Tab-separated table of all heavy atoms in Angstrom:
chain	number	residue	atom	x	y	z
A	162	MET	N	-14.921	-15.610	17.958
A	162	MET	CA	-14.426	-14.745	16.905
A	162	MET	C	-15.593	-13.983	16.291
A	162	MET	O	-16.624	-14.558	15.958
A	162	MET	CB	-13.727	-15.587	15.841
A	162	MET	CG	-13.108	-14.776	14.762
A	162	MET	SD	-12.075	-15.812	13.717
A	162	MET	CE	-12.841	-15.512	12.165
A	163	SER	N	-15.446	-12.679	16.139
A	163	SER	CA	-16.518	-11.886	15.548
A	163	SER	C	-16.416	-11.915	14.029
A	163	SER	O	-15.371	-12.198	13.468
A	163	SER	CB	-16.449	-10.445	16.050
A	163	SER	OG	-15.267	-9.830	15.601
A	164	GLN	N	-17.534	-11.623	13.405
A	164	GLN	CA	-17.548	-11.559	11.948
A	164	GLN	C	-18.253	-10.295	11.527
A	164	GLN	O	-19.092	-9.768	12.258
A	164	GLN	CB	-18.252	-12.785	11.355
A	164	GLN	CG	-19.744	-12.850	11.659
A	164	GLN	CD	-20.398	-14.102	11.095
A	164	GLN	OE1	-19.861	-15.179	11.216
A	164	GLN	NE2	-21.553	-13.943	10.499
A	165	ASP	N	-17.888	-9.780	10.376
A	165	ASP	CA	-18.553	-8.601	9.847
A	165	ASP	C	-19.942	-8.990	9.356
A	165	ASP	O	-20.170	-10.124	8.931
A	165	ASP	CB	-17.762	-8.011	8.687
A	165	ASP	CG	-16.430	-7.422	9.125
A	165	ASP	OD1	-16.255	-7.168	10.331
A	165	ASP	OD2	-15.570	-7.219	8.262
A	166	LEU	N	-20.865	-8.054	9.428
A	166	LEU	CA	-22.231	-8.263	8.964
A	166	LEU	C	-22.593	-7.078	8.078
A	166	LEU	O	-22.499	-5.931	8.519
A	166	LEU	CB	-23.184	-8.348	10.163
A	166	LEU	CG	-24.659	-8.529	9.873
A	166	LEU	CD1	-24.914	-9.871	9.199
A	166	LEU	CD2	-25.462	-8.426	11.158
A	167	THR	N	-22.944	-7.340	6.842
A	167	THR	CA	-23.343	-6.282	5.917
A	167	THR	C	-24.851	-6.325	5.739
A	167	THR	O	-25.409	-7.381	5.428
A	167	THR	CB	-22.659	-6.465	4.549
A	167	THR	OG1	-21.243	-6.447	4.746
A	167	THR	CG2	-23.043	-5.367	3.577
A	168	ILE	N	-25.501	-5.191	5.947
A	168	ILE	CA	-26.947	-5.077	5.780
A	168	ILE	C	-27.205	-4.098	4.649
A	168	ILE	O	-26.657	-2.994	4.636
A	168	ILE	CB	-27.615	-4.579	7.076
A	168	ILE	CG1	-27.382	-5.582	8.203
A	168	ILE	CG2	-29.113	-4.334	6.854
A	168	ILE	CD1	-27.811	-5.096	9.568
A	169	TYR	N	-28.014	-4.494	3.693
A	169	TYR	CA	-28.374	-3.635	2.573
A	169	TYR	C	-29.772	-3.074	2.799
A	169	TYR	O	-30.704	-3.830	3.087
A	169	TYR	CB	-28.352	-4.418	1.255
A	169	TYR	CG	-26.973	-4.922	0.901
A	169	TYR	CD1	-26.583	-6.207	1.237
A	169	TYR	CD2	-26.065	-4.093	0.257
A	169	TYR	CE1	-25.300	-6.661	0.926
A	169	TYR	CE2	-24.790	-4.545	-0.059
A	169	TYR	CZ	-24.422	-5.832	0.278
A	169	TYR	OH	-23.161	-6.277	-0.030
A	170	LEU	N	-29.911	-1.755	2.673
A	170	LEU	CA	-31.214	-1.102	2.757
A	170	LEU	C	-31.625	-0.665	1.359
A	170	LEU	O	-30.780	-0.241	0.560
A	170	LEU	CB	-31.147	0.111	3.689
A	170	LEU	CG	-30.886	-0.188	5.162
A	170	LEU	CD1	-30.699	1.103	5.938
A	170	LEU	CD2	-32.014	-1.008	5.760
A	171	ASN	N	-32.902	-0.754	1.061
A	171	ASN	CA	-33.428	-0.408	-0.255
A	171	ASN	C	-33.300	1.100	-0.486
A	171	ASN	O	-34.040	1.887	0.093
A	171	ASN	CB	-34.892	-0.850	-0.346
A	171	ASN	CG	-35.488	-0.623	-1.713
A	171	ASN	OD1	-34.919	0.074	-2.543
A	171	ASN	ND2	-36.644	-1.220	-1.946
A	172	SER	N	-32.369	1.497	-1.330
A	172	SER	CA	-32.155	2.912	-1.617
A	172	SER	C	-33.204	3.479	-2.571
A	172	SER	O	-33.233	4.683	-2.818
A	172	SER	CB	-30.755	3.135	-2.184
A	172	SER	OG	-30.592	2.399	-3.384
A	173	GLY	N	-34.080	2.618	-3.083
A	173	GLY	CA	-35.123	3.054	-4.007
A	173	GLY	C	-36.399	3.512	-3.317
A	173	GLY	O	-37.350	3.906	-3.989
A	174	ILE	N	-36.426	3.467	-1.986
A	174	ILE	CA	-37.604	3.931	-1.252
A	174	ILE	C	-37.175	4.983	-0.235
A	174	ILE	O	-36.017	5.036	0.185
A	174	ILE	CB	-38.345	2.782	-0.529
A	174	ILE	CG1	-37.432	2.087	0.472
A	174	ILE	CG2	-38.906	1.798	-1.535
A	174	ILE	CD1	-38.134	1.054	1.331
A	175	LYS	N	-38.109	5.825	0.162
A	175	LYS	CA	-37.809	6.884	1.118
A	175	LYS	C	-38.194	6.419	2.520
A	175	LYS	O	-39.329	6.016	2.750
A	175	LYS	CB	-38.572	8.152	0.750
A	175	LYS	CG	-38.195	9.340	1.582
A	175	LYS	CD	-38.853	10.600	1.087
A	175	LYS	CE	-38.401	11.769	1.940
A	175	LYS	NZ	-38.892	13.037	1.405
A	176	MET	N	-37.206	6.427	3.432
A	176	MET	CA	-37.446	6.081	4.837
A	176	MET	C	-36.740	7.118	5.701
A	176	MET	O	-35.678	7.611	5.324
A	176	MET	CB	-36.828	4.716	5.191
A	176	MET	CG	-37.497	3.511	4.622
A	176	MET	SD	-36.750	1.970	5.246
A	176	MET	CE	-35.348	1.797	4.140
A	177	SER	N	-37.319	7.386	6.862
A	177	SER	CA	-36.621	8.243	7.819
A	177	SER	C	-35.398	7.495	8.343
A	177	SER	O	-35.287	6.272	8.196
A	177	SER	CB	-37.547	8.598	8.983
A	177	SER	OG	-37.812	7.440	9.769
A	178	ARG	N	-34.476	8.196	8.977
A	178	ARG	CA	-33.304	7.544	9.562
A	178	ARG	C	-33.722	6.523	10.613
A	178	ARG	O	-33.161	5.442	10.689
A	178	ARG	CB	-32.372	8.574	10.201
A	178	ARG	CG	-31.635	9.401	9.192
A	178	ARG	CD	-30.639	10.318	9.842
A	178	ARG	NE	-31.317	11.237	10.760
A	178	ARG	CZ	-30.693	12.048	11.598
A	178	ARG	NH1	-29.393	12.071	11.649
A	178	ARG	NH2	-31.375	12.853	12.371
A	179	GLY	N	-34.734	6.854	11.421
A	179	GLY	CA	-35.202	5.926	12.452
A	179	GLY	C	-35.790	4.657	11.861
A	179	GLY	O	-35.534	3.556	12.340
A	180	LYS	N	-36.589	4.803	10.812
A	180	LYS	CA	-37.187	3.651	10.149
A	180	LYS	C	-36.104	2.786	9.524
A	180	LYS	O	-36.118	1.557	9.646
A	180	LYS	CB	-38.192	4.106	9.083
A	180	LYS	CG	-38.874	2.979	8.327
A	180	LYS	CD	-39.761	2.145	9.241
A	180	LYS	CE	-40.591	1.161	8.429
A	180	LYS	NZ	-41.384	0.296	9.296
A	181	ALA	N	-35.127	3.416	8.863
A	181	ALA	CA	-34.037	2.667	8.251
A	181	ALA	C	-33.235	1.915	9.309
A	181	ALA	O	-32.880	0.750	9.125
A	181	ALA	CB	-33.134	3.608	7.459
A	182	ALA	N	-32.973	2.578	10.428
A	182	ALA	CA	-32.230	1.925	11.510
A	182	ALA	C	-33.018	0.737	12.063
A	182	ALA	O	-32.458	-0.340	12.297
A	182	ALA	CB	-31.931	2.918	12.628
A	183	ALA	N	-34.323	0.905	12.247
A	183	ALA	CA	-35.156	-0.186	12.755
A	183	ALA	C	-35.162	-1.360	11.782
A	183	ALA	O	-35.081	-2.525	12.198
A	183	ALA	CB	-36.580	0.310	13.010
A	184	GLN	N	-35.244	-1.082	10.486
A	184	GLN	CA	-35.239	-2.156	9.495
A	184	GLN	C	-33.906	-2.896	9.504
A	184	GLN	O	-33.855	-4.124	9.361
A	184	GLN	CB	-35.555	-1.605	8.107
A	184	GLN	CG	-36.974	-1.079	7.969
A	184	GLN	CD	-38.015	-2.119	8.347
A	184	GLN	OE1	-38.082	-3.196	7.772
A	184	GLN	NE2	-38.841	-1.797	9.337
A	185	ALA	N	-32.812	-2.168	9.692
A	185	ALA	CA	-31.495	-2.804	9.784
A	185	ALA	C	-31.411	-3.706	11.013
A	185	ALA	O	-30.866	-4.813	10.946
A	185	ALA	CB	-30.398	-1.743	9.827
A	186	VAL	N	-31.969	-3.255	12.126
A	186	VAL	CA	-31.985	-4.082	13.345
A	186	VAL	C	-32.835	-5.330	13.121
A	186	VAL	O	-32.435	-6.436	13.503
A	186	VAL	CB	-32.490	-3.278	14.561
A	186	VAL	CG1	-32.710	-4.183	15.763
A	186	VAL	CG2	-31.516	-2.166	14.903
A	187	HIS	N	-34.000	-5.183	12.509
A	187	HIS	CA	-34.835	-6.353	12.192
A	187	HIS	C	-34.040	-7.358	11.352
A	187	HIS	O	-34.081	-8.564	11.601
A	187	HIS	CB	-36.094	-5.941	11.410
A	187	HIS	CG	-37.185	-5.369	12.243
A	187	HIS	ND1	-37.781	-6.043	13.290
A	187	HIS	CD2	-37.812	-4.177	12.169
A	187	HIS	CE1	-38.719	-5.289	13.815
A	187	HIS	NE2	-38.759	-4.146	13.155
A	188	ALA	N	-33.334	-6.864	10.346
A	188	ALA	CA	-32.549	-7.748	9.482
A	188	ALA	C	-31.478	-8.485	10.284
A	188	ALA	O	-31.297	-9.696	10.132
A	188	ALA	CB	-31.909	-6.947	8.349
A	189	ALA	N	-30.765	-7.766	11.149
A	189	ALA	CA	-29.700	-8.385	11.943
A	189	ALA	C	-30.260	-9.424	12.907
A	189	ALA	O	-29.721	-10.532	13.026
A	189	ALA	CB	-28.924	-7.321	12.704
A	190	LEU	N	-31.340	-9.094	13.594
A	190	LEU	CA	-31.932	-10.046	14.538
A	190	LEU	C	-32.438	-11.288	13.807
A	190	LEU	O	-32.261	-12.411	14.284
A	190	LEU	CB	-33.062	-9.385	15.322
A	190	LEU	CG	-32.645	-8.285	16.304
A	190	LEU	CD1	-33.875	-7.574	16.867
A	190	LEU	CD2	-31.788	-8.836	17.424
A	191	SER	N	-33.038	-11.083	12.655
A	191	SER	CA	-33.522	-12.223	11.863
A	191	SER	C	-32.364	-13.087	11.374
A	191	SER	O	-32.447	-14.319	11.379
A	191	SER	CB	-34.346	-11.732	10.674
A	191	SER	OG	-35.521	-11.097	11.128
A	192	TYR	N	-31.273	-12.471	10.966
A	192	TYR	CA	-30.092	-13.200	10.500
A	192	TYR	C	-29.586	-14.157	11.577
A	192	TYR	O	-29.186	-15.284	11.296
A	192	TYR	CB	-28.994	-12.210	10.100
A	192	TYR	CG	-27.711	-12.862	9.653
A	192	TYR	CD1	-27.569	-13.304	8.337
A	192	TYR	CD2	-26.653	-13.033	10.522
A	192	TYR	CE1	-26.388	-13.904	7.913
A	192	TYR	CE2	-25.474	-13.630	10.108
A	192	TYR	CZ	-25.342	-14.067	8.802
A	192	TYR	OH	-24.182	-14.658	8.386
A	193	PHE	N	-29.609	-13.689	12.825
A	193	PHE	CA	-29.127	-14.504	13.939
A	193	PHE	C	-30.240	-15.320	14.592
A	193	PHE	O	-30.062	-15.870	15.677
A	193	PHE	CB	-28.430	-13.614	14.976
A	193	PHE	CG	-27.124	-13.063	14.487
A	193	PHE	CD1	-27.006	-11.734	14.123
A	193	PHE	CD2	-26.011	-13.883	14.349
A	193	PHE	CE1	-25.800	-11.220	13.658
A	193	PHE	CE2	-24.802	-13.384	13.882
A	193	PHE	CZ	-24.706	-12.055	13.536
A	194	ASN	N	-31.399	-15.396	13.922
A	194	ASN	CA	-32.557	-16.161	14.418
A	194	ASN	C	-32.954	-15.777	15.836
A	194	ASN	O	-33.252	-16.631	16.675
A	194	ASN	CB	-32.282	-17.665	14.336
A	194	ASN	CG	-32.177	-18.138	12.915
A	194	ASN	OD1	-32.974	-17.757	12.064
A	194	ASN	ND2	-31.180	-18.945	12.629
A	195	ILE	N	-32.971	-14.479	16.111
A	195	ILE	CA	-33.381	-13.968	17.413
A	195	ILE	C	-34.822	-13.500	17.299
A	195	ILE	O	-35.130	-12.580	16.530
A	195	ILE	CB	-32.466	-12.827	17.881
A	195	ILE	CG1	-31.030	-13.336	18.035
A	195	ILE	CG2	-32.984	-12.213	19.170
A	195	ILE	CD1	-30.014	-12.250	18.295
A	196	ASP	N	-35.704	-14.148	18.044
A	196	ASP	CA	-37.116	-13.778	18.042
A	196	ASP	C	-37.258	-12.384	18.660
A	196	ASP	O	-36.666	-12.099	19.703
A	196	ASP	CB	-37.923	-14.810	18.839
A	196	ASP	CG	-39.416	-14.622	18.678
A	196	ASP	OD1	-39.857	-14.154	17.611
A	196	ASP	OD2	-40.142	-14.940	19.642
A	197	HIS	N	-38.014	-11.509	18.020
A	197	HIS	CA	-38.153	-10.151	18.516
A	197	HIS	C	-39.488	-9.558	18.113
A	197	HIS	O	-40.144	-10.039	17.196
A	197	HIS	CB	-37.012	-9.282	17.974
A	197	HIS	CG	-37.034	-9.147	16.475
A	197	HIS	ND1	-36.637	-10.162	15.637
A	197	HIS	CD2	-37.428	-8.138	15.672
A	197	HIS	CE1	-36.764	-9.773	14.384
A	197	HIS	NE2	-37.248	-8.553	14.384
A	198	GLY	N	-39.879	-8.553	18.838
A	198	GLY	CA	-41.089	-7.812	18.520
A	198	GLY	C	-40.726	-6.525	17.809
A	198	GLY	O	-39.798	-6.489	16.995
A	199	ALA	N	-41.431	-5.462	18.158
A	199	ALA	CA	-41.196	-4.160	17.533
A	199	ALA	C	-39.796	-3.650	17.845
A	199	ALA	O	-39.242	-3.915	18.911
A	199	ALA	CB	-42.228	-3.153	18.025
A	200	VAL	N	-39.238	-2.937	16.915
A	200	VAL	CA	-37.965	-2.246	17.113
A	200	VAL	C	-38.260	-0.760	16.940
A	200	VAL	O	-38.745	-0.336	15.903
A	200	VAL	CB	-36.896	-2.699	16.091
A	200	VAL	CG1	-35.651	-1.845	16.209
A	200	VAL	CG2	-36.576	-4.173	16.269
A	201	ILE	N	-37.977	0.012	17.968
A	201	ILE	CA	-38.235	1.449	17.948
A	201	ILE	C	-36.902	2.162	18.105
A	201	ILE	O	-36.171	1.911	19.061
A	201	ILE	CB	-39.199	1.845	19.076
A	201	ILE	CG1	-40.521	1.095	18.915
A	201	ILE	CG2	-39.418	3.352	19.095
A	201	ILE	CD1	-41.410	1.117	20.128
A	202	VAL	N	-36.575	3.031	17.174
A	202	VAL	CA	-35.311	3.764	17.209
A	202	VAL	C	-35.629	5.243	17.412
A	202	VAL	O	-36.361	5.828	16.623
A	202	VAL	CB	-34.509	3.567	15.899
A	202	VAL	CG1	-33.205	4.339	15.961
A	202	VAL	CG2	-34.258	2.080	15.645
A	203	LEU	N	-35.084	5.806	18.481
A	203	LEU	CA	-35.322	7.210	18.812
A	203	LEU	C	-33.990	7.952	18.906
A	203	LEU	O	-32.981	7.374	19.302
A	203	LEU	CB	-36.040	7.321	20.170
A	203	LEU	CG	-37.371	6.596	20.296
A	203	LEU	CD1	-37.859	6.656	21.738
A	203	LEU	CD2	-38.407	7.204	19.365
A	204	GLY	N	-34.008	9.209	18.602
A	204	GLY	CA	-32.826	10.039	18.787
A	204	GLY	C	-32.685	10.399	20.261
A	204	GLY	O	-33.675	10.522	20.982
A	205	ALA	N	-31.460	10.549	20.724
A	205	ALA	CA	-31.193	10.944	22.108
A	205	ALA	C	-29.829	11.622	22.180
A	205	ALA	O	-28.974	11.414	21.324
A	205	ALA	CB	-31.215	9.720	23.028
A	206	ASN	N	-29.625	12.388	23.241
A	206	ASN	CA	-28.318	13.018	23.405
A	206	ASN	C	-27.336	12.042	24.053
A	206	ASN	O	-27.719	10.981	24.554
A	206	ASN	CB	-28.426	14.325	24.198
A	206	ASN	CG	-28.951	14.128	25.608
A	206	ASN	OD1	-28.640	13.150	26.273
A	206	ASN	ND2	-29.744	15.072	26.067
A	207	LYS	N	-26.063	12.409	24.025
A	207	LYS	CA	-24.998	11.542	24.530
A	207	LYS	C	-25.227	11.155	25.994
A	207	LYS	O	-25.027	9.991	26.367
A	207	LYS	CB	-23.653	12.243	24.363
A	207	LYS	CG	-22.471	11.424	24.805
A	207	LYS	CD	-21.176	12.196	24.632
A	207	LYS	CE	-20.020	11.410	25.199
A	207	LYS	NZ	-18.777	12.188	25.170
A	208	LYS	N	-25.654	12.087	26.822
A	208	LYS	CA	-25.874	11.810	28.249
A	208	LYS	C	-26.926	10.722	28.437
A	208	LYS	O	-26.751	9.801	29.234
A	208	LYS	CB	-26.286	13.092	28.971
A	208	LYS	CG	-26.445	12.932	30.458
A	208	LYS	CD	-26.780	14.256	31.115
A	208	LYS	CE	-26.984	14.060	32.607
A	208	LYS	NZ	-27.331	15.314	33.271
A	209	LYS	N	-28.008	10.805	27.689
A	209	LYS	CA	-29.074	9.796	27.769
A	209	LYS	C	-28.536	8.432	27.341
A	209	LYS	O	-28.788	7.409	27.980
A	209	LYS	CB	-30.257	10.215	26.890
A	209	LYS	CG	-31.331	9.168	26.707
A	209	LYS	CD	-32.096	8.896	27.972
A	209	LYS	CE	-33.204	7.898	27.717
A	209	LYS	NZ	-33.835	7.466	28.948
A	210	ILE	N	-27.800	8.405	26.247
A	210	ILE	CA	-27.266	7.137	25.738
A	210	ILE	C	-26.282	6.533	26.729
A	210	ILE	O	-26.301	5.330	26.989
A	210	ILE	CB	-26.627	7.335	24.348
A	210	ILE	CG1	-27.708	7.720	23.329
A	210	ILE	CG2	-25.905	6.072	23.898
A	210	ILE	CD1	-27.172	8.177	21.996
A	211	GLU	N	-25.438	7.359	27.324
A	211	GLU	CA	-24.453	6.848	28.283
A	211	GLU	C	-25.096	6.281	29.543
A	211	GLU	O	-24.464	5.507	30.258
A	211	GLU	CB	-23.442	7.936	28.639
A	211	GLU	CG	-22.485	8.222	27.512
A	211	GLU	CD	-21.491	9.321	27.818
A	211	GLU	OE1	-21.825	10.255	28.566
A	211	GLU	OE2	-20.382	9.229	27.285
A	212	SER	N	-26.353	6.622	29.796
A	212	SER	CA	-27.056	6.077	30.964
A	212	SER	C	-27.721	4.732	30.669
A	212	SER	O	-28.299	4.112	31.554
A	212	SER	CB	-28.107	7.072	31.470
A	212	SER	OG	-29.211	7.138	30.579
A	213	CYS	N	-27.633	4.255	29.428
A	213	CYS	CA	-28.255	2.991	29.034
A	213	CYS	C	-27.466	1.798	29.570
A	213	CYS	O	-26.283	1.903	29.890
A	213	CYS	CB	-28.332	2.903	27.506
A	213	CYS	SG	-29.493	4.058	26.763
A	214	LYS	N	-28.135	0.643	29.629
A	214	LYS	CA	-27.493	-0.609	30.063
A	214	LYS	C	-26.415	-1.044	29.080
A	214	LYS	O	-25.383	-1.571	29.470
A	214	LYS	CB	-28.533	-1.716	30.212
A	214	LYS	CG	-29.512	-1.482	31.333
A	214	LYS	CD	-30.562	-2.582	31.381
A	214	LYS	CE	-31.609	-2.264	32.429
A	214	LYS	NZ	-32.716	-3.211	32.398
A	215	ILE	N	-26.686	-0.877	27.789
A	215	ILE	CA	-25.717	-1.222	26.745
A	215	ILE	C	-25.413	0.058	25.972
A	215	ILE	O	-26.330	0.747	25.521
A	215	ILE	CB	-26.279	-2.301	25.788
A	215	ILE	CG1	-26.498	-3.597	26.555
A	215	ILE	CG2	-25.359	-2.509	24.596
A	215	ILE	CD1	-27.212	-4.670	25.774
A	216	VAL	N	-24.131	0.377	25.867
A	216	VAL	CA	-23.695	1.568	25.138
A	216	VAL	C	-22.754	1.122	24.022
A	216	VAL	O	-21.813	0.359	24.258
A	216	VAL	CB	-22.974	2.565	26.079
A	216	VAL	CG1	-22.443	3.748	25.300
A	216	VAL	CG2	-23.916	3.028	27.185
A	217	ILE	N	-23.025	1.583	22.814
A	217	ILE	CA	-22.195	1.249	21.662
A	217	ILE	C	-21.292	2.436	21.348
A	217	ILE	O	-21.754	3.572	21.237
A	217	ILE	CB	-23.071	0.909	20.424
A	217	ILE	CG1	-24.042	-0.230	20.730
A	217	ILE	CG2	-22.193	0.592	19.215
A	217	ILE	CD1	-23.386	-1.525	21.159
A	218	ARG	N	-20.001	2.125	21.217
A	218	ARG	CA	-19.004	3.133	20.832
A	218	ARG	C	-18.396	2.676	19.506
A	218	ARG	O	-18.015	1.525	19.364
A	218	ARG	CB	-17.933	3.265	21.907
A	218	ARG	CG	-18.496	3.790	23.214
A	218	ARG	CD	-17.429	3.893	24.302
A	218	ARG	NE	-18.001	4.278	25.569
A	218	ARG	CZ	-18.257	5.523	25.961
A	218	ARG	NH1	-17.975	6.519	25.143
A	218	ARG	NH2	-18.790	5.775	27.130
A	219	ASP	N	-18.312	3.599	18.574
A	219	ASP	CA	-17.833	3.262	17.231
A	219	ASP	C	-16.349	2.904	17.233
A	219	ASP	O	-15.564	3.439	18.019
A	219	ASP	CB	-18.080	4.438	16.289
A	219	ASP	CG	-17.983	4.024	14.845
A	219	ASP	OD1	-18.913	3.358	14.364
A	219	ASP	OD2	-16.959	4.333	14.199
A	220	ALA	N	-15.982	2.007	16.341
A	220	ALA	CA	-14.581	1.586	16.211
A	220	ALA	C	-13.738	2.624	15.468
A	220	ALA	O	-12.515	2.576	15.505
A	220	ALA	CB	-14.503	0.249	15.479
A	221	GLY	N	-14.390	3.552	14.782
A	221	GLY	CA	-13.664	4.611	14.103
A	221	GLY	C	-13.028	4.220	12.785
A	221	GLY	O	-12.075	4.850	12.341
A	222	LYS	N	-13.543	3.202	12.154
A	222	LYS	CA	-12.941	2.721	10.910
A	222	LYS	C	-13.491	3.404	9.654
A	222	LYS	O	-12.931	3.238	8.577
A	222	LYS	CB	-13.131	1.210	10.782
A	222	LYS	CG	-12.399	0.429	11.854
A	222	LYS	CD	-12.620	-1.050	11.702
A	222	LYS	CE	-11.897	-1.819	12.797
A	222	LYS	NZ	-12.117	-3.259	12.683
A	223	THR	N	-14.600	4.139	9.786
A	223	THR	CA	-15.187	4.720	8.575
A	223	THR	C	-15.467	6.215	8.726
A	223	THR	O	-14.660	7.027	8.328
A	223	THR	CB	-16.483	3.992	8.164
A	223	THR	OG1	-17.399	4.003	9.275
A	223	THR	CG2	-16.208	2.558	7.742
A	224	GLU	N	-16.582	6.585	9.320
A	224	GLU	CA	-17.045	7.969	9.258
A	224	GLU	C	-16.767	8.820	10.488
A	224	GLU	O	-16.697	10.050	10.377
A	224	GLU	CB	-18.560	7.990	9.013
A	224	GLU	CG	-18.973	7.341	7.715
A	224	GLU	CD	-20.470	7.338	7.515
A	224	GLU	OE1	-21.182	8.116	8.186
A	224	GLU	OE2	-20.943	6.545	6.691
A	225	ILE	N	-16.672	8.231	11.663
A	225	ILE	CA	-16.551	9.027	12.881
A	225	ILE	C	-15.374	8.572	13.733
A	225	ILE	O	-14.824	7.488	13.515
A	225	ILE	CB	-17.861	9.002	13.704
A	225	ILE	CG1	-18.276	7.588	14.046
A	225	ILE	CG2	-18.984	9.692	12.960
A	225	ILE	CD1	-19.540	7.484	14.866
A	226	ALA	N	-15.006	9.378	14.693
A	226	ALA	CA	-13.826	9.118	15.512
A	226	ALA	C	-14.010	7.868	16.382
A	226	ALA	O	-15.121	7.584	16.843
A	226	ALA	CB	-13.541	10.313	16.397
A	227	PRO	N	-12.912	7.138	16.619
A	227	PRO	CA	-12.973	5.950	17.486
A	227	PRO	C	-13.494	6.328	18.878
A	227	PRO	O	-13.144	7.366	19.420
A	227	PRO	CB	-11.527	5.479	17.576
A	227	PRO	CG	-10.806	6.146	16.469
A	227	PRO	CD	-11.552	7.384	16.145
A	228	GLY	N	-14.355	5.465	19.413
A	228	GLY	CA	-14.886	5.677	20.760
A	228	GLY	C	-16.100	6.565	20.837
A	228	GLY	O	-16.658	6.764	21.923
A	229	THR	N	-16.538	7.098	19.714
A	229	THR	CA	-17.719	7.964	19.718
A	229	THR	C	-18.956	7.173	20.118
A	229	THR	O	-19.220	6.095	19.583
A	229	THR	CB	-17.948	8.586	18.310
A	229	THR	OG1	-16.791	9.343	17.947
A	229	THR	CG2	-19.174	9.467	18.287
A	230	VAL	N	-19.711	7.689	21.087
A	230	VAL	CA	-20.951	7.048	21.534
A	230	VAL	C	-21.979	7.195	20.412
A	230	VAL	O	-22.264	8.298	19.968
A	230	VAL	CB	-21.476	7.703	22.824
A	230	VAL	CG1	-22.850	7.194	23.187
A	230	VAL	CG2	-20.492	7.479	23.966
A	231	THR	N	-22.503	6.058	19.948
A	231	THR	CA	-23.443	6.096	18.818
A	231	THR	C	-24.836	5.572	19.143
A	231	THR	O	-25.802	5.973	18.508
A	231	THR	CB	-22.904	5.284	17.632
A	231	THR	OG1	-22.669	3.942	18.047
A	231	THR	CG2	-21.614	5.893	17.087
A	232	ALA	N	-24.962	4.657	20.099
A	232	ALA	CA	-26.270	4.058	20.365
A	232	ALA	C	-26.301	3.450	21.756
A	232	ALA	O	-25.248	3.149	22.345
A	232	ALA	CB	-26.573	2.978	19.322
A	233	GLY	N	-27.495	3.238	22.267
A	233	GLY	CA	-27.655	2.582	23.555
A	233	GLY	C	-28.988	1.863	23.625
A	233	GLY	O	-29.920	2.179	22.892
A	234	ILE	N	-29.039	0.867	24.514
A	234	ILE	CA	-30.270	0.095	24.716
A	234	ILE	C	-30.481	-0.082	26.214
A	234	ILE	O	-29.552	-0.413	26.943
A	234	ILE	CB	-30.180	-1.305	24.064
A	234	ILE	CG1	-30.004	-1.193	22.559
A	234	ILE	CG2	-31.420	-2.140	24.394
A	234	ILE	CD1	-29.800	-2.531	21.867
A	235	ASN	N	-31.706	0.146	26.663
A	235	ASN	CA	-32.059	-0.129	28.059
A	235	ASN	C	-32.760	-1.433	28.201
A	235	ASN	O	-33.328	-2.001	27.382
A	235	ASN	CB	-32.938	0.983	28.634
A	235	ASN	CG	-32.099	2.060	29.275
A	235	ASN	OD1	-31.014	1.812	29.746
A	235	ASN	ND2	-32.617	3.252	29.261
């Protein structure tokens, strides 16, 4: 059974979108006690993301349409 995970980012500091995304990933990995090194978040087009080993498609419950390709990991 899956569970929701809420991550809070410090809105009182200025971070780029990539830095904020990396910090959120660090928080999630730490929450699940997954040992990890650097997290690097880069922008890419849909074609590049769809070529990744893992492709994330949004559920469409908040800001974007269901099935929208949002992220990938090689």
Side-chain angles (χ1 to χ4, degrees):
M162 184 170 122
S163 65
Q164 67 182 44
D165 292 342
L166 178 65
T167 301
I168 298 171
Y169 296 95
L170 294 174
N171 184 347
S172 60
I174 60 173
K175 187 174 182 173
M176 289 185 277
S177 68
R178 288 185 300 171
K180 180 65 171 176
Q184 293 305 301
V186 171
H187 281 301
L190 292 172
S191 295
Y192 178 83
F193 290 106
N194 293 316
I195 298 171
D196 190 30
H197 63 285
V200 173
I201 301 165
V202 180
L203 302 173
N206 62 37
K207 182 181 175 186
K208 184 177 178 181
K209 171 69 177 172
I210 294 170
E211 288 179 328
S212 72
C213 291
K214 293 177 185 173
I215 295 172
V216 176
I217 303 301
R218 295 179 185 276
D219 196 74
K222 295 180 181 179
T223 55
E224 299 178 18
I225 57 179
T229 301
V230 172
T231 58
I234 298 175
N235 270 332

